[in-house]
């Protein structure tokens, strides 16, 4: 259904129908995506942690397809089979979103598929995998991490016609670097006569993981903070990034991810941006009595920003446009924690594949 035709019965459906804000399902689970689509969602996303979670929750549905992949490709490694499974899951989600993609003329209805987390330092492998994913279906969007190598890969992949969704991103400097890299890629592509009007690049800011990191620093360093103020770190970064993106006319659209509380939805309503929301949070939001009204332009209390800015160098690094050099992206605390989590999830996924290939004795 179109935005105008979306049922207004739930808060998320009203968010989509009455504001420019789009909602994506933060999973490739078909059951969860069907729920999201019924509430106005126009996209979905995957990453190693999500694929692993879906496989565990829906193992009965995926066990036989996984066994078939192993049987059909007897000479392949567990890594190769794992990627075949990741692609298969993503393509099922992409198929479900295809009617949205066609209805919206390619502007919406995409499934974000993430490049391998172990390639975070390798521009060429990131680009190669991005190009492959983009060729799997017309509505695939490709997630590339905002590491030093990832920024270069984002420009090159964009130039090659890949619709990117930057990920492993927590700070304003990362978001600006993505937007500038995309602009360079689009300009290079357009200069060669290619139409870029249907490309819809996005840049994720994992606002919940920004909060997580500042909270971890507070605990590690014994920093006392006014109760509730730590919940605003990611939102402060996001709202500032949104303002700058509008002022500068970047063609990259911001995306909020990693939900920790309702403000990660309610404070961003009304923005021309994307909210990629996990299924469990969608259910909670839809069962709430929170008023659906635009709050994107409501500033974060200056007293909150001031306290975070004074007490946390890592918040200053995230909040200031020049707080981090591109070469420092890989070493930022939230980046290291998230890359490790994604790589560990990927290894856990390959272990499940291994159990199918070599059943325990």
């Amino acid at each position: 259904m179109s935005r105008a035709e979306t049922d207004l019965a739930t808060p998320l459906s009203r968010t989509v129908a009455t504001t420019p804000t789009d909602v994506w399902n933060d999973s490739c689970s078909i059951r969860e995506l069907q729920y999201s689509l019924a509430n106005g969602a126009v996209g979905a996303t995957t990453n190693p942690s999500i694929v692993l979670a879906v496989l565990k929750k829906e193992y009965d549905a995926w066990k036989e397809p996984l066994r078939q992949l192993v049987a059909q490709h007897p000479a392949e490694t567990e890594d190769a089979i794992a990627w075949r499974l990741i692609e298969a899951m993503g393509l099922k989600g992409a198929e479900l979103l295809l009617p949205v993609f066609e209805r919206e003329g390619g502007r919406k209805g995409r499934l974000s598929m993430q490049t391998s987390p172990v390639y975070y330092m390798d521009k060429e492998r990131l680009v190669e995998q991005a190009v492959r994913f983009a060729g799997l279906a017309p509505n695939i969007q490709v997630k590339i991490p905002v590491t030093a190598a990832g920024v270069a890969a984002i420009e090159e992949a964009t130039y090659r016609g890949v619709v990117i969704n930057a990920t492993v991103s927590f700070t304003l400097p990362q978001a600006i670097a993505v937007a500038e890299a995309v602009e360079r890629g689009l300009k290079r592509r357009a200069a060669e006569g290619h139409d870029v009007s249907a490309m819809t690049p996005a840049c994720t800011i994992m606002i919940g993981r920004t909060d997580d990191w500042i909270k971890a620093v507070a605990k590690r360093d014994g920093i006392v903070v006014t109760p509730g103020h730590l919940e605003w770190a990611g939102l402060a970064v996001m709202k500032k990034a949104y303002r700058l993106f509008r002022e500068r006319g970047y063609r990259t659209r911001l995306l909020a991810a990693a939900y920790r509380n309702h403000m990660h939805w309610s404070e961003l309503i009304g923005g021309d941006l994307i909210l990629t929301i996990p299924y469990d949070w969608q259910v909670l939001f839809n069962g709430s009595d929170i008023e659906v009204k635009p709050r994107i332009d409501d500033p974060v209390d200056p007293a909150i920003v001031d306290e975070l800015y004074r007490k946390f160098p890592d918040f200053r690094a995230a909040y200031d446009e020049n707080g981090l050099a591109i070469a420092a992206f890989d070493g930022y605390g939230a980046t290291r924690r998230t890359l490790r989590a994604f790589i560990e999830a990927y290894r856990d996924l390959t272990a499940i594949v291994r159990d199918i290939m070599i059943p325990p004795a």
Side-chain angles (χ1 to χ4, degrees), residues 254-305:
L254 285 168
L255 183 156
Y259 279 62
R260 301 293 185 265
N261 58 65
H262 80 74
M263 295 190 302
H264 291 163
W265 153 59
S266 58
E267 281 292 320
L268 301 177
I269 294 173
D272 185 6
L273 44 69
I274 303 161
L275 309 180
T276 184
I277 308 176
Y279 169 78
D280 289 344
W281 281 106
Q282 292 177 52
V283 173
L284 284 173
F285 296 161
N286 280 335
S288 74
D289 60 359
I290 296 167
E291 182 182 1
V292 175
K293 67 176 185 178
R295 297 182 183 88
I296 183 65
D297 293 323
D298 294 350
V300 176
D301 185 342
I304 296 175
V305 176

Side-chain angles (χ1 to χ4, degrees), residues 32-257:
E32 295 175 1
L33 181 51
Q34 288 171 333
Y35 172 88
S36 298
L37 286 168
N39 286 276
V42 293
T45 186
T46 68
N47 64 34
S49 300
I50 289 170
V51 170
L52 178 65
V54 172
L55 182 60
K56 287 180 175 179
K57 286 191 294 185
E58 303 176 6
Y59 188 68
D60 287 344
W62 284 102
K63 180 170 60 177
E64 187 55 34
L66 179 54
R67 285 177 174 168
Q68 290 176 8
L69 287 174
V70 171
Q72 291 164 1
H73 306 279
E76 290 192 346
T77 66
E78 61 190 40
D79 290 270
I81 298 296
W83 281 106
R84 288 188 182 276
L85 177 65
I86 290 168
E87 291 178 4
M89 276 196 185
L91 287 173
K92 278 192 173 292
E95 182 180 3
L96 198 59
L97 286 162
L98 193 57
V100 178
F101 181 78
E102 293 172 343
R103 181 193 77 210
E104 299 289 340
R107 302 296 299 176
K108 299 175 185 179
R110 294 185 181 271
L111 185 287
S112 280
M113 190 176 291
Q114 186 160 314
T115 50
S116 175
V118 303
Y119 293 164
Y120 72 94
M121 296 179 66
D122 192 327
K123 170 196 168 185
E124 299 306 323
R125 285 188 172 180
L126 288 171
V127 172
E128 179 183 5
Q129 195 172 40
V131 170
R132 171 180 168 73
F133 288 168
L136 294 175
N139 59 332
I140 294 293
Q141 192 153 1
V142 182
K143 298 170 80 170
I144 297 175
V146 190
T147 55
V151 172
I154 285 166
E155 177 182 344
E156 183 63 22
T158 300
Y159 163 65
R160 297 195 192 184
V162 177
V163 176
I164 67 97
N165 175 9
T167 187
V168 191
S169 173
F170 321 90
T171 70
L172 179 60
Q174 288 174 296
I176 296 294
V178 168
E180 294 288 349
V182 167
E183 291 299 316
R184 292 192 297 271
L186 290 173
K187 289 175 182 176
R188 288 170 57 197
R189 186 165 178 79
E192 294 185 359
H194 298 289
D195 182 9
V196 299
S197 61
M199 296 180 69
T200 56
C203 177
T204 296
I205 300 180
M206 306 180 86
I207 53 179
R209 287 180 179 268
T210 305
D211 291 354
D212 292 347
W213 176 241
I214 302 303
K215 290 175 183 178
V217 172
K219 182 176 181 179
R220 181 194 69 192
D221 296 345
I223 301 172
V224 177
V225 185
T226 302
H229 284 194
L230 290 173
E231 307 298 330
W232 288 91
L235 281 168
V237 171
M238 188 72 177
K239 290 198 175 202
K240 184 176 181 181
Y242 183 72
R243 175 175 58 80
L244 291 176
F245 271 49
R246 282 191 296 173
E247 289 174 357
R248 298 176 186 181
Y250 289 135
R251 285 174 279 185
T252 299
R253 201 169 181 215
L254 285 168
L255 183 156

